[in-house]
Amino acid sequence: MLESMQRLLTGLQPSGALHIGNYLGALKPFADMYGKYESFLMVADYHALTSLRKPDELRQNIREVVRSYVAAGVDPKKATIFQQSRVQEHTELAWIFECLVTVPFLELSHAYKDKLAKGLEANAGLFNYPMLMAADILLYDTDFVPVGADQRQHIEYAREAAAKFNNAYGQTFKEPEGLISDTIATIPGTDGKKMSKSYGNTIPLFGSKDEIAKAVMSIVTDSTGERPENVYAIHALFQTKDKLDSLYAEKKGKYKDLKEALVEDIETLVAPMRAKYDSISDADVLDILKEGSHRAREFASAKMRDVCEKVGVNV
Ligand code: TYM
């Protein structure tokens, strides 16, 4: 039965506090559908090393990602929640893909180009990032990858890596599809740009009500328009259009009241998740990761045996 189920996989970098963009763009879509698939949920800790060099912070972030997965409604008995670094096959397969793709191909990566555009030097890990992510996805014969729009290019890279390997060594990998919902593909931040840790425009997912309120109060409002568009755009993610339209008509020009209403609507969604989040102990997190990573390794090592056979490193 399990063998015939389609597979779902997604991942999150433990590079900082999760925000509502992570939740609405990836976590919630995963939590809503994972029961129908054989599902994998990864903590992309090696990916986080491309930007984070604080060991204690990384350790804490890894635990927070696991807590967030469970608090968002994922049952660790029904999905394999695992840590990328505990499954060595990810970095092994990434190396094999790196030997198949060219430097100009990787130079097209948006994340790499953005770094250069800012006049910064990219580390080699960031440059090779898409091949590690391809390995994450392809090791599990993944059919679908629920992500936000910013990951679209990475899914393309994974498909290309699969095609290049299959072309060189014979059919081995499935080409996965990204699941990117139109309405939540890019959740806006407090300044109207994509919500992102690196832009400092986030609303924290598991922050206290005060922290959420502080972020909401900082939403940039344009006083010339009919309604504060940045506030409305975020509010529309939490409330029906009918309710919002009458609220925004009634409170026209009263930006503070509208922001307070948004805080309450976010709080209604987040409060039960926060309670669940707080109830998960460090010991629970370690058990989940131990069990999930063990299970992930069973899939990954079987796949890697096939890969090693095909490329000719097993003698
Ligand atoms: P990361 O950690 O940056 O983000 C995790 C997920 O949150 C989504 N997301 C958003 N969605 C909508 N609007 C936003 N403003 C927003 N901000 C973030 C991201 O699209 C993502 O789905 N490379 C990945 C991690 C990764 C991965 C994987 C994902 C590593 N291996 C394999 C899927 C499969 C990343 O950096 O996501």
Side-chain angles (χ1 to χ4, degrees), residues 218-269:
S218 78
I219 296 176
V220 178
T221 46
D222 175 358
S223 53
T224 56
E226 268 290 287
R227 66 182 184 203
E229 288 305 333
N230 290 337
V231 183
Y232 186 91
I234 297 175
H235 214 157
L237 302 163
F238 295 91
Q239 195 51 276
T240 61
K241 188 172 179 328
D242 284 354
K243 280 202 179 141
L244 274 195
D245 286 348
S246 58
L247 177 73
Y248 279 66
E250 185 196 328
K251 304 272 183 191
K252 204 169 155 193
K254 297 184 174 158
Y255 293 173
K256 185 157 180 287
D257 289 4
L258 290 169
K259 286 178 172 178
E260 278 166 1
L262 171 56
V263 172
E264 290 308 321
D265 285 337
I266 296 178
E267 183 63 14
T268 304
L269 174 89

Side-chain angles (χ1 to χ4, degrees), residues 12-146:
L12 252 146
Q13 282 193 70
S15 50
L18 298 194
H19 52 74
I20 62 169
N22 298 132
Y23 175 70
L24 295 170
L27 258 180
K28 184 171 187 301
F30 183 93
D32 286 346
M33 72 176 98
Y34 82 101
K36 296 199 207 96
Y37 300 90
E38 179 154 32
S39 297
F40 298 85
L41 204 40
M42 191 185 73
V43 185
D45 52 353
Y46 273 164
H47 275 127
L49 283 182
T50 61
S51 63
L52 186 61
R53 290 199 188 142
K54 293 183 181 150
D56 287 337
E57 211 174 302
L58 180 57
R59 261 187 283 276
Q60 183 179 334
N61 292 347
I62 292 168
R63 293 195 287 264
E64 281 180 13
V65 170
V66 175
R67 282 198 178 87
S68 306
Y69 283 160
V70 178
V74 178
D75 178 348
K77 296 257 173 293
K78 297 191 185 141
T80 299
I81 298 180
F82 72 101
Q83 195 180 343
Q84 184 186 40
S85 64
R86 291 200 196 195
V87 185
Q88 69 203 37
E89 285 80 1
H90 289 241
T91 40
E92 291 172 11
L93 182 59
W95 175 258
I96 293 177
F97 288 150
E98 281 154 28
C99 294
L100 281 169
V101 298
T102 64
V103 168
F105 176 70
L106 290 178
E107 276 173 343
L108 299 173
S109 152
H110 299 319
Y112 173 68
K113 285 202 290 196
D114 287 354
K115 195 91 178 177
L116 294 192
K118 284 184 196 144
L120 300 169
E121 210 170 27
N123 56 53
L126 183 78
F127 187 66
N128 290 322
Y129 188 114
M131 292 301 106
L132 180 56
M133 181 153 161
D136 299 338
I137 298 169
L138 299 180
L139 266 176
Y140 301 90
D141 289 332
T142 303
D143 295 283
F144 303 111
V145 189

